[in-house]
Amino acid sequence: MPRREGMERKDLLKANVKIFKSQGAALEKYAKKSVKVIVVGNPANTNCLTASKSAPSIPKENFSCLTRLDHNRAKSQIALKLGVTADDVKNVIIWGNHSSTQYPDVNHAKVKLQGKEVGVYEALKDDSWLKGEFITTVQQRGAAVIKARKLSSAMSAAKAISDHVRDIWFGTPEGEFVSMGVISDGNSYGIPDDLLYSFPVVIKNKTWKFVEGLPINDFSREKMDLTAKELAEEKETAFEFLSSA
């Protein structure tokens, strides 16, 4: 159920908890245990967690939510700024919630310039843009699309879904990682367990793994914790509704 004008996020959560509880229950009852479930409807992370909790016999790792649209937007913003194509940019990260608290991180991203791979910070030499306008543009891009066309993203969302599914099916290219909302259990980045949080992942044999060992600076740490806090609050609200739904 989409968010309508005048609706609080809480109202949206309440309506969707019901929907995703029943979807999860249907999957539990009728789907193969090897099913891969991708949630796009917002609030996507918490809807995905709700569906997963309602299908306890399906492995949690089989549930993911779409943050690839944000990932693609981050790549595009960098590409536009540098006058290259989005394909020349890799390893951007979307951390956290598919909401305006998400953290688009390019500390580990690379761009191909004149045949050489260069770090994005080094290539752009514009830290204030990267730590300011770049982040807010990606965070608020969905709202900008709605404002411009009076409807939410369509083609770019469809493209992101096909990217997400293709990478699950065929795996990620060597040396490349992508962003995906997945269960946070066992991550090495200090994000609490049992949240559906967007991480950098690599995929092989239809199985995703966290990208490990990326250094996290203080600026990133704060942003990653902020979006985790929002997800923990959403989860709490959703689970209150879940027990009464």
Side-chain angles (χ1 to χ4, degrees):
M1 179 178 162
R3 188 170 181 172
R4 304 212 170 88
E5 234 173 308
M7 262 178 99
E8 287 295 320
R9 205 170 165 86
K10 223 172 184 171
D11 304 328
L12 188 66
L13 269 170
K14 191 172 189 176
N16 279 299
V17 160
K18 262 199 179 116
I19 296 168
F20 284 85
K21 183 182 182 179
S22 65
Q23 295 292 325
L27 286 161
E28 174 75 6
K29 202 167 171 185
Y30 300 109
K32 279 186 180 176
K33 300 309 171 200
S34 58
V35 67
K36 298 280 195 274
V37 184
I38 294 127
V39 175
V40 180
N42 283 319
N45 301 56
T46 301
N47 286 347
C48 188
L49 189 63
T50 302
S52 171
K53 292 282 183 192
S54 309
S57 71
I58 296 170
K60 295 178 198 178
E61 294 73 29
N62 292 16
F63 285 82
S64 60
C65 81
L66 190 76
T67 56
R68 187 59 170 267
L69 180 50
D70 310 304
H71 180 99
N72 288 350
R73 285 165 173 167
K75 275 174 64 161
S76 300
Q77 290 300 320
I78 299 297
L80 278 167
K81 193 86 169 164
L82 286 167
V84 297
T85 69
D87 279 346
D88 292 326
V89 182
K90 69 174 192 185
N91 297 354
V92 304
I93 302 168
I94 304 295
W95 297 100
N97 199 359
H98 175 64
S99 74
S100 58
T101 67
Q102 63 171 267
Y103 170 45
D105 176 9
V106 291
N107 283 294
H108 313 284
K110 301 258 188 285
V111 58
K112 205 182 280 174
L113 289 179
Q114 288 136 7
K116 273 208 313 250
E117 273 194 359
V118 190
V120 165
Y121 266 84
E122 192 190 331
L124 263 173
K125 298 182 175 59
D126 190 347
D127 291 17
S128 66
W129 182 78
L130 283 170
K131 287 183 168 176
E133 196 185 326
F134 162 71
I135 292 175
T136 51
T137 300
V138 176
Q139 285 174 334
Q140 290 161 19
R141 189 69 183 161
V145 170
I146 290 170
K147 199 173 174 199
R149 67 179 224 112
K150 307 291 175 269
L151 292 162
S152 61
S153 320
M155 186 60 92
S156 56
K159 168 70 167 65
I161 296 163
S162 50
D163 289 346
H164 181 115
V165 174
R166 185 193 61 229
D167 285 344
I168 288 177
W169 193 256
F170 293 110
T172 45
E174 196 59 43
E176 240 175 89
F177 49 77
V178 294
S179 306
M180 213 175 255
V182 293
I183 195 72
S184 60
D185 298 8
N187 77 85
S188 61
Y189 294 105
I191 303 303
D193 282 356
D194 206 37
L195 290 178
L196 215 295
Y197 189 100
S198 180
F199 287 94
V201 299
V202 287
I203 304 162
K204 203 176 178 174
N205 304 327
K206 304 189 178 60
T207 306
W208 60 265
K209 281 196 170 81
F210 295 121
V211 175
E212 300 286 5
L214 297 172
I216 303 297
N217 60 29
D218 292 347
F219 180 81
S220 294
R221 180 78 264 160
E222 193 181 324
K223 296 245 181 295
M224 287 161 70
D225 290 345
L226 186 77
T227 190
K229 184 172 176 280
E230 181 181 61
L231 278 169
E233 286 163 7
E234 269 188 31
K235 173 185 156 181
E236 202 180 317
T237 307
F239 284 18
E240 281 166 22
F241 293 141
L242 198 56
S243 52
S244 61

